[in-house]
Structure formats: structure tokens, C-alpha cells
Amino acid sequence: MPKMKTKSSAKKRFKMTATGRVKAGQAGKRHGMIKRSNKFIRDARGTMLLSPPDEKLAKKFMPYDR
């Protein structure tokens, strides 16, 4: 059987934690920061863990990173 391919877009956007959760960058921080509140900018710093349904999709695109 040939190996399954990892989606290039997924490997650039997601990282796996040691326990198998999926880390991703916070959405909504690319542009338009003037209209965002300081609280939003502060809270959206760094990375976040995906919710279980989103995690399931990300893991489907990265078959060997489990």
C-alpha cells in the first residue's frame, strides 16, 4: 500500500501536542487591528487548542502526526 499524503496546508498551520491535541494560531489577527479591542488582541496572543470537532478534521489531513 502506498503511504498517505499529508496536506501541505495542514502541516504549515497545525502542530500536535504530546497528548495528541492540535495547536493552531488564533484567528482574526491578520489585519484590521484598529477596530479590535485591546482585550481581544491580548487574549488572542500565541496559540490555542482546537475544539474536538475541528481537531478531528485537522488529524484527518495529517495521518502520521498522531
Side-chain angles (χ1 to χ4, degrees):
M1 253 338 257
K3 290 183 180 178
M4 292 170 64
K5 286 193 172 182
T6 295
K7 289 277 186 193
S8 288
S9 58
K11 71 184 172 192
K12 292 169 191 172
R13 285 169 173 78
F14 306 122
K15 294 273 186 272
M16 301 292 289
T17 64
T19 56
R21 301 291 311 269
V22 181
K23 286 195 306 185
Q26 174 71 39
K29 289 205 51 177
R30 292 292 178 189
H31 57 84
M33 301 313 286
I34 280 183
K35 64 181 85 163
R36 309 262 193 265
S37 68
N38 285 331
K39 181 178 186 287
F40 173 87
I41 295 170
R42 227 180 11 257
D43 290 344
R45 205 177 281 156
T47 57
M48 56 174 263
L49 292 175
L50 294 185
S51 63
D54 292 338
E55 209 172 85
K56 196 172 175 183
L57 276 173
K59 285 181 177 179
K60 184 188 283 189
F61 293 141
M62 299 191 301
Y64 297 108
D65 290 338
R66 293 182 190 211

